[in-house]
Amino acid sequence: MPELPATRGTPFLETRALHKFYGGVHALRGVSLTINSGGSYHLLGENGCGKSTLIKIISGAQPASSGQLLIRGQDMTGLDPIAALDAGIETVYQDLSLLPNLSVAENIGLSQQLVESSGRLFRRISPAQIDDVARRALSEVNLPTDPEFLARQIQTLPIAIRQLVAIARAIASKAGLVIMDEPTTSLTKREVRNLISVIRRLQESGTAVLFVTHKLDEAREIGGTGLVMRDGELVQQCDVTQASNAEIGLWMTGRELEQGRYRRSPGTPPAPLMQIQGLGLKDAYRDIDLTIGAGEILGVTGLADSGRNDLAKSLAGLAPPDRGKVVLEGRPLDPSEPASMISAGIAYVPEDRLTEGLFLEKSISANVTMSVLDRLRNSLGLLNRRKARALTQKTLDELRIVAAGTEAPVQSLSGGNQQRVLIGRWLATSPRVLILHGPTVGVDVGSKDTIFRIIQAQAENGTGIMLISDDLPELLQNCDRIAVMRDGAVSRIFTAEGLEEETLYNEIAGSGGENAREG
Amino acid sequence: MKRHTPFRIAAAAAGIAMLGSGVLAQEGDKEAVTVVKVTGENWFTRMEEGVKAYGQEHDGIATRQVGPARADAAQQAAIVQDLVAQGVDALAIVPMDPSSLEGILRRAMGRGITVITHEADNLENTQLDLEAFDNAEFGARFATRIAECMGEKGKWTSFVGSLGSLTHVQWADGGAKYMEQFPEMELVSPKNESFNDANRAYELAREILRTHPDIRGFQGGSAIDVIGIGRAVEEAGLEDKTCVYGLGLPRDTSEYLESGAVDGISFWDPKDAGYVMNVLVDMTLKGEEVESGMDLGVPGYEDVTVSDGPGEGKIVRGQAWVDVDASNWKDYPF
Amino acid sequence: MPRRADAQLMFLVALNALVLLSSLILVDRQFFSLFNFQSMGTQVPELGLLALGVMLAMVSGNGGIDLSGIALANLAGVIAFLLAPLIFSSEDAPAAFFLAFAGIALATGMLGGALNGALIGYAGMTPIIATLGTQLLFTGLAVGLTGGSALRLGYVQIIDDFGNMPIWGIPYSFALFLLIAAALAVLLKFTRFGNHLFLMGSNPKAARFAGLRVQSMLFRTYLLAGILASIAGIIIAARNSSIKWDYGSSYVLVAILIAVMAGVRPEGGYGRVICVVLSAMALQILSSLLNFMQISNFFRDCAWGLMLLLFLANARVDWNAYIPAALRGNARQGS
């Protein structure tokens, strides 16, 4: 078992000039930092900046190519995961690394067992001991400690609870350093606040915490040191409560990012483009009346069960409504299948780009051109691959996608680039209406900026845009109007300019403000 | 024509392969390959003894036997095609599906390859087809014993390897024709197909016993039919009440012969058939004619009948049946 | 992906070359004769066409497979045999008879393929179950119509020539096979249907979201496979001058073996026609080589199993890992 954490303020972990090469790629360039016991640190940076690599080296999953790693003053360079656990480093990865068919108690006791039996799980410590450890950890994160809960299989729990269990495991073993990668993605506001108080307690007992996160507001609430990385280098350390979003954005991307509104509201009111009239779908939504003007950006938001996801699906042709109609430029549309909505000019960029949007193993070119192959034929009626590549290259250039060529597989791209490929496919169809569902989820700050600019440019071309999102700042920055849905109906439509986030938030949450996702 | 050399045999043996049977040949030997329906079956393993024996006892000719691992006409055809491409001197074939080989055999003869067949008296493209006996007569002999055993009245049925196995069908039809003279003999469910699978024969026999509880006579076609039938009869306890006769091999059927589940089997020794096929091969290679009455040097083929075949070739028939029951099966080592 | 695809192609070309070259050492020069190449060439098309059908089914995803290929091929031959003489006589008008024969066989293939397509595309049945069912149906019909016996076409020169004889050194049937393969390759690479087929196989959900008509595409895929099977049936009939309901019962698994060894992904979304052609050729050359070497047929199954395992191992191994770091130029991993 690890020793008790050292006194607050003394160095727990130190890296000196860490370098890492993957083949010919220089992933970490001389990173030197110190993590003090009881301190909190936030690792900030775009996708591909080296954050994950650094974490992997600290937690022992990968060895550094050169440089040193010291823990409590001892040289532990090249440690393996078991040694890292032994030294008191616990990690909560984004995928949670819980074993779904084992119980809550077994999962929480897991790292301890691994360390005690040097990585072999056969010699187990007694179930009573495991339960004990589990109970203490669970009470820290305010989860139930009754035997029934302890015995629950992980795969039966909702994702938010799983995230808390994963965190409980990390803190069960009195670690010296707890690393958390995007720990709040599935948590409600109340749960996030709960987590923050757990983290405070950890810090008080001398445990250091290191976060990898995109959410600057949360980072500020927790406080501590911001470690900003770019292109494998640690470019800036700052007090995260003092630095502004603009400064952090600049350090992360090397570019000035827009902080205020992206949207320049047009002077004249837009001509009506698409009208949704009295649309209803049983057990999903009812009496939806919305208009989108040409060149207008309409935001749609609401809680997860507000019906907005089903509305999006209906407009895409994936869930035909049973009442009402959708009219585009005066013509009624047939929402019974995606193909007819697409050919009418409605493009839907789905929520989950990995399973619903992209063909990951296929090339960027295949993904981008798939909906417009008819336009890329030669005189024989066969596909002209040169034209296809040209269109793809144009898309890569216009959307500023970083890739190893048009034929590279889409899965080789970062999240932000993948999202732009998907958007690019739909833009190539020159849609009349573009519906974007959560377009910047899991996308780094730099890509977000680019995507916002793309959306604005489309609007300026006269395309009508519906932006469905949970990210309130995103909505406020980009939309003309924002429609809030609640319990299957539109509860209010705001004008975005000048709207306060608090007002918007209250409308969404209605009575149960604490239960809203932070987004 | 190139021959095997010791080097090549060593090279082939150096691989992990199981060599097809072969005789170490000298330069100048004629190469005669016997192609059977399927390897691994007892019947054709016995045939191989005769094939090999001929090559060992005679100079100037190297004999060997090959066959597909599965009873699939396409696989046998592929083997024949490759042998033709290899340019062997003679082929002795027991065809799985005679009509599908017509083309390749025509081309083989066109290339100067001697073609002899066995159990294929409807094949046009062969020089000589060897039949151990007249098939209708063979079938009738089973029927004779079944009728005698049943007192010339009651229900009986017949089995075949498959409806495509020409000889089995001829035996079944020969038996049926014989039975026509007895008005009280009733044929039910004729020519049940076992696909050369003893288990399937067993299942079919059980079904028949269920559907016709008063059935007494069984005529088997493929060598494993009596085994399957015998097992079903034993299970039902009807050894003494049934009359089961059919093609079979002594060793395989001995258990049922002893218990009385199978009353008698007949066969022709595939070893002799394999030997005599190669006799005919050798004679044809040397340009000698086969005529009625000739003695080919093997019991059962000492006074053969030669008749015209459907094509330009001839059919050579012997009287090579052997009858076996509980009293004498031990005389035969296979 | 391009790099991976080339590796597969290289493997198959190398395999073909290896088997051919070893024949020079292991058997006499007869193997390298024109006659033998032609002989092998006539044996490839029927299996090759069935393997292409399996490839199409697999590429379309959805657990795609076609088990009914050879059964449909035989049925097509049976129906053509029974109906063609009603229109033309094979003795008086052999060419017309052959055309009628081929036409009826193709029509049968289309109907059979359409049945598969309807069951899988529109009724939503799992392909393995659907084609298992249609396999039994086609076989049953063929047995019923023929009573189990073989149907003899007799010697019709034009038909026999098509099945066995060469034109300019290449067997007619093999040339036809190559033409069909080329046309299929063009279809898959250069038409909208082909491009969408690969995408659908790769991610059916995203395909639906993107507006692809999934049901219709599945239907067309199996229809095409049925047509290929019927062409195989015509070639079988021409080669053997006879048609039997149970011909080639071992072909079902061999066709799948050829497709998998060609790198076609059983999960869907990937497969190359050229690789299937090379894979079929490699299997044929190896099969004939083993026959020339007088190696028991049992070993042939063993050899094919070995080849399949070698191929699967080749796909799993990242050869790059064994190349010294200095020579590597990998894309960036992780961040």
Side-chain angles (χ1 to χ4, degrees):
Chain A
M1 278 306 293
E3 305 153 26
L4 287 171
T7 346
R8 273 194 93 157
T10 60
F12 173 76
L13 182 141
E14 199 186 328
T15 72
R16 291 186 189 154
L18 277 185
H19 287 266
K20 176 69 180 172
F21 287 89
Y22 286 112
V25 177
H26 200 169
L28 278 188
R29 300 167 195 261
V31 173
S32 304
L33 52 84
T34 310
I35 293 184
N36 293 325
S37 296
S40 58
Y41 298 84
H42 305 270
L43 203 47
L44 306 165
E46 282 189 299
N47 285 355
C49 69
K51 300 187 303 243
S52 318
T53 310
L54 181 61
I55 301 294
K56 280 181 194 159
I57 291 175
I58 292 177
S59 63
Q62 285 266 346
S65 304
S66 72
Q68 279 184 302
L69 176 67
L70 297 134
I71 300 180
R72 294 205 182 93
Q74 275 189 305
D75 190 342
M76 303 277 272
T77 313
L79 84 182
D80 67 19
I82 299 294
L85 280 175
D86 200 24
I89 299 178
E90 290 272 348
T91 318
V92 183
Y93 288 102
Q94 239 181 327
D95 67 356
L96 302 182
S97 309
L98 293 173
L99 301 174
N101 56 327
L102 294 187
S103 71
V104 169
E106 285 168 322
N107 268 279
I108 294 182
L110 190 62
S111 350
Q112 202 170 339
Q113 290 180 58
L114 284 172
V115 170
E116 301 242 326
S117 49
S118 316
R120 293 187 297 273
L121 275 179
F122 292 112
R123 225 187 67 226
R124 301 191 17 177
I125 40 185
S126 74
Q129 242 184 313
I130 299 181
D131 279 0
D132 230 13
V133 167
R135 262 193 293 272
R136 263 181 282 129
L138 288 169
S139 62
E140 297 269 357
V141 297
N142 295 331
L143 279 178
T145 55
D146 55 278
E148 203 201 312
F149 185 73
L150 287 180
R152 283 281 292 272
Q153 276 195 350
I154 294 294
Q155 61 196 359
T156 64
L157 296 172
I159 183 107
I161 310 286
R162 283 195 229 181
Q163 205 151 32
L164 291 171
V165 171
I167 293 166
R169 176 171 82 191
I171 65 180
S173 50
K174 306 232 183 307
L177 168 66
V178 176
I179 305 172
M180 300 198 208
D181 192 347
E182 300 280 8
T184 62
T185 39
S186 308
L187 302 185
T188 63
K189 243 194 156 149
R190 184 203 286 151
E191 286 162 346
V192 171
R193 227 169 286 148
N194 174 28
L195 177 63
I196 294 178
S197 67
V198 169
I199 290 166
R200 296 237 190 287
R201 270 180 295 197
L202 273 180
Q203 287 182 270
E204 268 153 43
S205 62
T207 309
V209 266
L210 171 63
F211 297 95
V212 178
T213 182
H214 285 305
K215 299 183 188 167
L216 297 179
D217 294 331
E218 265 172 29
R220 289 205 184 88
E221 236 189 290
I222 297 170
T225 312
L227 303 165
V228 186
M229 288 185 71
R230 191 170 82 225
D231 287 331
E233 282 184 65
L234 181 62
V235 294
Q236 187 75 25
Q237 294 197 36
C238 60
D239 181 339
V240 87
T241 54
Q242 301 296 318
S244 70
N245 283 356
E247 286 177 292
I248 294 178
L250 177 60
W251 293 325
M252 276 171 55
T253 64
R255 301 197 322 259
E256 299 258 351
L257 299 180
E258 184 65 57
Q259 293 310 314
R261 261 172 77 75
Y262 282 78
R263 184 75 184 137
R264 313 275 168 251
S265 289
T268 48
L273 180 62
M274 178 166 100
Q275 278 150 315
I276 302 170
Q277 297 165 346
L279 213 62
L281 177 60
K282 192 162 181 292
D283 296 328
Y285 56 82
R286 61 187 186 283
D287 304 322
I288 307 289
D289 288 301
L290 290 171
T291 355
I292 301 178
E296 188 189 3
I297 304 183
L298 174 69
V300 175
T301 185
L303 298 180
D305 59 354
S306 60
R308 58 147 219 254
N309 289 338
D310 297 296
L311 177 63
K313 284 216 170 85
S314 293
L315 293 174
L318 294 160
D322 26 57
R323 277 188 308 276
K325 46 186 178 140
V326 181
V327 178
L328 181 70
E329 285 174 322
R331 289 184 341 262
L333 298 182
D334 167 26
S336 59
E337 51 157 7
S340 61
M341 296 302 266
I342 292 167
S343 54
I346 313 253
Y348 173 65
V349 179
E351 196 179 10
D352 186 344
R353 59 177 170 270
L354 296 178
T355 60
E356 297 171 347
L358 294 169
F359 302 93
L360 291 174
E361 326 149 318
K362 297 295 170 188
S363 67
I364 298 173
S365 189
N367 273 273
V368 167
T369 59
M370 66 162 294
S371 298
V372 296
L373 290 176
D374 287 343
R375 274 201 264 132
L376 301 170
R377 290 205 242 238
N378 63 16
S379 44
L380 291 170
L382 296 176
L383 181 67
N384 183 331
R385 299 190 87 82
R386 204 175 35 83
K387 279 193 201 170
R389 263 198 298 277
L391 172 61
T392 310
Q393 190 60 50
K394 183 160 159 270
T395 307
L396 292 183
D397 296 335
E398 278 176 13
L399 303 187
R400 294 207 257 157
I401 299 170
V402 176
T406 58
E407 303 309 310
V410 162
Q411 63 193 6
S412 66
L413 302 179
S414 70
N417 284 311
Q418 284 178 343
Q419 188 68 17
R420 278 176 275 167
V421 168
L422 186 54
I423 294 175
R425 174 206 300 169
W426 291 112
L427 294 186
T429 64
S430 305
R432 301 298 294 123
V433 175
L434 183 63
I435 305 176
L436 298 147
H437 194 159
T440 61
V441 171
V443 159
D444 60 272
V445 156
S447 291
K448 246 181 156 166
D449 172 74
T450 315
I451 291 174
F452 290 164
R453 291 186 198 276
I454 294 167
I455 294 175
Q456 296 303 327
Q458 278 299 303
E460 254 145 67
N461 268 342
T463 314
I465 301 191
M466 180 185 280
L467 179 57
I468 304 170
S469 174
D470 281 331
D471 186 339
L472 302 190
E474 171 175 284
L475 289 167
L476 292 169
Q477 285 180 299
N478 284 287
C479 301
D480 291 308
R481 294 181 299 144
I482 302 176
V484 177
M485 283 181 71
R486 207 156 73 209
D487 294 325
V490 175
S491 74
R492 198 159 153 195
I493 303 182
F494 293 98
T495 306
E497 182 143 27
L499 180 64
E500 292 284 332
E501 187 173 333
E502 196 69 28
T503 322
L504 182 57
Y505 179 73
N506 286 333
E507 183 64 36
I508 293 169
S511 47
E514 293 287 284
N515 290 328
R517 273 302 152 69
E518 214 202 32
Chain B
M1 302 284 178
K2 299 285 196 316
R3 297 287 151 251
H4 330 271
T5 62
F7 166 76
R8 221 174 272 123
I9 292 203
I16 337 141
M18 284 161 28
L19 288 177
S21 60
V23 177
L24 222 72
Q26 319 300 325
E27 285 292 326
D29 276 1
K30 296 284 187 185
E31 195 180 349
V33 182
T34 305
V35 184
V36 297
K37 288 188 194 178
V38 64
T39 42
E41 222 186 74
N42 234 343
W43 183 267
F44 294 111
T45 310
R46 171 84 172 167
M47 180 174 279
E48 198 174 358
E49 290 177 33
V51 171
K52 278 200 201 150
Y54 189 85
Q56 279 161 347
E57 291 167 17
H58 294 81
D59 287 327
I61 181 165
T63 56
R64 60 185 166 95
Q65 175 172 305
V66 298
R70 253 174 299 233
D72 178 6
Q75 289 199 22
Q76 191 188 41
I79 292 176
V80 173
Q81 189 152 355
D82 284 333
L83 288 170
V84 171
Q86 212 174 345
V88 298
D89 294 297
L91 290 168
I93 307 180
V94 188
M96 187 73 200
D97 174 21
S99 52
S100 74
L101 290 178
E102 293 276 16
I104 184 63
L105 292 178
R106 180 171 26 86
R107 273 187 297 284
M109 293 199 290
R111 299 242 304 171
I113 299 175
T114 297
V115 174
I116 307 293
T117 53
H118 175 48
E119 281 195 72
D121 60 7
N122 63 339
L123 197 59
E124 283 177 21
N125 287 291
T126 172
Q127 290 167 272
L128 293 170
D129 177 66
L130 176 69
E131 299 294 326
F133 36 65
D134 177 80
N135 287 313
E137 227 187 296
F138 189 65
R141 296 182 79 252
F142 286 127
T144 313
R145 284 174 289 166
I146 293 177
E148 199 181 340
C149 168
M150 284 171 67
E152 287 148 19
K153 58 177 195 282
K155 287 188 184 158
W156 71 288
T157 182
S158 61
F159 278 61
V160 291
S162 85
L163 291 170
S165 305
L166 186 65
T167 41
H168 299 179
V169 169
Q170 287 171 329
W171 301 335
D173 289 340
K177 196 150 191 330
Y178 177 84
M179 291 294 207
E180 274 167 17
Q181 63 185 293
F182 303 114
E184 292 180 74
M185 291 293 292
E186 188 193 340
L187 174 60
V188 299
S189 179
K191 294 189 249 186
N192 299 287
E193 284 179 291
S194 64
F195 296 114
N196 295 344
D197 182 340
N199 259 329
R200 196 170 148 74
Y202 161 71
E203 299 285 348
L204 285 170
R206 264 188 8 168
E207 220 178 281
I208 289 173
L209 284 169
R210 252 199 308 267
T211 332
H212 304 275
D214 52 343
I215 193 166
R216 296 197 46 220
F218 291 84
Q219 177 174 330
S222 130
I224 51 85
D225 287 344
V226 289
I227 296 175
I229 298 168
R231 185 173 152 209
V233 161
E234 244 183 37
E235 223 180 63
L238 293 170
E239 297 91 322
D240 296 330
K241 298 215 181 64
T242 53
C243 302
V244 179
Y245 289 90
L247 180 76
L249 287 179
R251 277 263 165 77
D252 293 342
T253 334
S254 59
E255 175 192 334
Y256 298 109
L257 286 170
E258 288 292 341
S259 75
V262 174
D263 297 90
I265 50 172
S266 302
F267 53 91
W268 71 100
D269 194 339
K271 171 162 163 251
D272 291 338
Y275 192 93
V276 173
M277 268 204 285
N278 283 281
V279 167
L280 294 176
V281 161
D282 213 353
M283 287 174 73
T284 316
L285 284 172
K286 293 191 177 110
E288 294 165 19
E289 289 262 339
V290 189
E291 276 152 24
S292 280
M294 267 183 131
D295 173 2
L296 297 179
V298 172
Y301 301 93
E302 282 149 347
D303 178 12
V304 298
T305 323
V306 179
S307 55
D308 285 331
E312 309 224 332
K314 303 219 186 300
I315 301 178
V316 178
R317 279 189 219 279
Q319 303 87 28
W321 42 65
V322 183
D323 295 330
V324 157
D325 57 29
S327 64
N328 63 345
W329 68 267
K330 296 190 192 66
D331 299 342
Y332 297 91
F334 66 95
Chain C
M1 191 77 328
R3 202 176 291 156
R4 178 116 185 276
D6 289 337
Q8 186 57 36
L9 189 59
M10 285 302 114
F11 172 78
L12 285 166
V13 170
L15 185 64
N16 274 283
L18 178 68
V19 181
L20 277 174
L21 288 175
S22 5
S23 77
L24 287 171
I25 313 169
L26 295 170
V27 293
D28 57 49
R29 297 302 301 275
Q30 284 299 103
F31 194 86
F32 245 78
S33 66
L34 182 63
F35 183 86
N36 187 41
F37 278 117
Q38 289 169 343
S39 167
M40 293 193 292
T42 59
Q43 298 179 62
V44 171
E46 56 205 55
L47 262 176
L49 287 168
L50 291 177
L52 286 174
V54 169
M55 173 189 148
L56 283 174
M58 281 186 175
V59 165
S60 71
N62 186 40
I65 187 85
D66 188 354
L67 299 176
S68 64
I70 185 64
L72 182 56
N74 289 332
L75 180 64
V78 166
I79 293 185
F81 180 91
L82 293 172
L83 294 179
L86 303 176
I87 313 176
F88 292 108
S89 150
S90 63
E91 280 149 18
D92 304 329
F97 174 80
F98 189 29
L99 278 172
F101 184 93
I104 297 172
L106 277 169
T108 311
M110 279 172 60
L111 284 173
L115 178 60
N116 277 329
L119 289 174
I120 294 169
Y122 293 111
M125 279 179 81
T126 315
I128 193 172
I129 304 289
T131 56
L132 197 58
T134 51
Q135 176 197 46
L136 294 172
L137 175 67
F138 299 150
T139 306
L141 278 171
V143 185
L145 288 169
T146 60
S149 29
L151 304 171
R152 320 184 74 173
L153 265 175
Y155 180 62
V156 181
Q157 177 153 19
I158 187 173
I159 296 181
D160 187 83
D161 281 359
F162 171 71
N164 296 293
M165 289 303 161
I167 174 172
W168 296 330
I170 302 178
Y172 282 102
S173 58
F174 189 70
L176 178 64
F177 169 60
L178 289 180
L179 279 172
I180 293 176
L184 194 60
V186 167
L187 177 77
L188 290 175
K189 204 162 176 203
F190 293 102
T191 66
R192 189 177 66 178
F193 171 72
N195 277 275
H196 283 178
L197 188 66
F198 282 107
L199 292 176
M200 178 175 84
S202 166
N203 185 343
K205 195 168 183 195
R208 205 180 132 240
F209 275 55
L212 299 191
R213 296 205 154 90
V214 171
Q215 289 178 321
S216 160
M217 281 171 63
L218 284 175
F219 176 81
R220 279 177 278 165
T221 303
Y222 288 91
L223 176 65
L224 198 49
I227 293 175
L228 290 174
S230 66
I231 300 176
I234 297 170
I235 292 178
I236 291 169
R239 210 159 74 78
N240 300 318
S241 288
S242 95
I243 297 140
K244 195 142 181 288
W245 62 275
D246 65 350
Y247 180 89
S249 50
S250 58
Y251 281 2
V252 181
L253 291 177
V254 178
I256 297 173
L257 171 71
I258 292 174
V260 171
M261 228 186 57
V264 177
R265 288 228 202 92
E267 321 85 76
Y270 182 75
R272 287 181 76 184
V273 170
I274 177 78
C275 288
V276 173
V277 171
L278 284 173
S279 176
M281 281 167 58
L283 242 62
Q284 178 57 51
I285 299 173
L286 184 62
S287 180
S288 291
L289 178 61
L290 292 177
N291 282 334
F292 266 62
M293 286 168 70
Q294 303 163 38
I295 289 175
S296 158
N297 249 226
F298 288 109
F299 183 68
R300 191 180 63 165
D301 288 350
C302 176
W304 288 2
L306 211 69
M307 275 208 309
L308 182 60
L309 288 174
L310 268 175
F311 152 76
L312 289 172
N314 177 63
R316 285 274 177 270
V317 171
D318 178 16
W319 292 109
N320 282 330
Y322 294 98
I323 302 173
L327 296 175
R328 264 185 278 166
N330 269 349
R332 192 171 189 165
Q333 292 176 33
S335 55

